[in-house]
Amino acid sequence: MKVTNGHNISVHYVGTFTDGTEFDNSHVRGETVSFKVGSGQMLPGFSNAVMGMTVGETKNFTLTPDEAYGPRNESAFKSVPRDAFSPDFEFEIGATIQGNGPSGQFLAKIQDVQDTQVVLDMNHPLAGQDLSFEVKVVSLED
């Protein structure tokens, strides 16, 4: 049986940047990722790429930013008061932080540290990136 919209599938995958650097690996976590194809649970490009695969099949594909987390939005930078961080927080430009805001939890990258303000890049950490995947379908159910 081939994967089509509406099937529940489990996959193992390795995600890498185009330079080969690994950013995610379900094997390392020791568990597959399960989702309903076409339901919006996975990136649109990922869901589309597994269409037509069969159990046991492995496929390699690369998603453009439009198929993954979107392009980088240069207006997605936010300046926040430095005192919003704990007094002992060690600021490192380029470090990813997790915080809580009015819309809930978020991830951001520290872009700049000034005397009274910290500039955060609120883009998804993988926005603007081409993402390559090696995916193996482990199970498939109607």
Side-chain angles (χ1 to χ4, degrees):
M1 177 177 359
K2 293 186 178 206
V3 174
T4 61
N5 269 330
H7 281 148
N8 291 305
I9 68 171
S10 294
V11 300
H12 263 303
Y13 70 91
V14 177
T16 58
F17 298 115
T18 53
D19 69 0
T21 303
E22 193 172 288
F23 64 84
D24 198 6
N25 185 329
S26 65
H27 300 280
V28 171
R29 287 191 309 277
E31 61 184 65
T32 60
V33 173
S34 299
F35 63 99
K36 185 174 185 174
V37 178
S39 68
Q41 294 173 296
M42 295 295 283
L43 297 170
F46 192 101
S47 196
N48 290 336
V50 299
M51 298 286 276
M53 291 180 70
T54 58
V55 172
E57 183 178 353
T58 299
K59 183 176 184 180
N60 293 294
F61 56 89
T62 299
L63 303 180
T64 64
D66 288 337
E67 299 169 304
Y69 292 97
R72 288 188 48 75
N73 179 354
E74 295 307 319
S75 65
F77 292 85
K78 182 175 183 170
S79 187
V80 298
R82 190 174 176 140
D83 62 11
F85 295 82
S86 66
D88 60 340
F89 186 84
E90 293 186 29
F91 295 95
E92 181 182 335
I93 293 177
T96 300
I97 62 163
Q98 182 176 347
N100 290 306
S103 301
Q105 287 190 337
F106 65 87
L107 289 177
K109 189 179 284 187
I110 298 174
Q111 186 71 24
D112 190 24
V113 180
Q114 301 163 357
D115 290 337
T116 61
Q117 299 288 308
V118 177
V119 179
L120 300 178
D121 177 353
M122 304 296 286
N123 282 289
H124 186 283
L126 299 177
Q129 302 268 1
D130 287 338
L131 306 177
S132 296
F133 293 92
E134 178 181 272
V135 176
K136 180 178 183 177
V137 176
V138 176
S139 70
L140 170 112
E141 299 173 7
D142 280 329

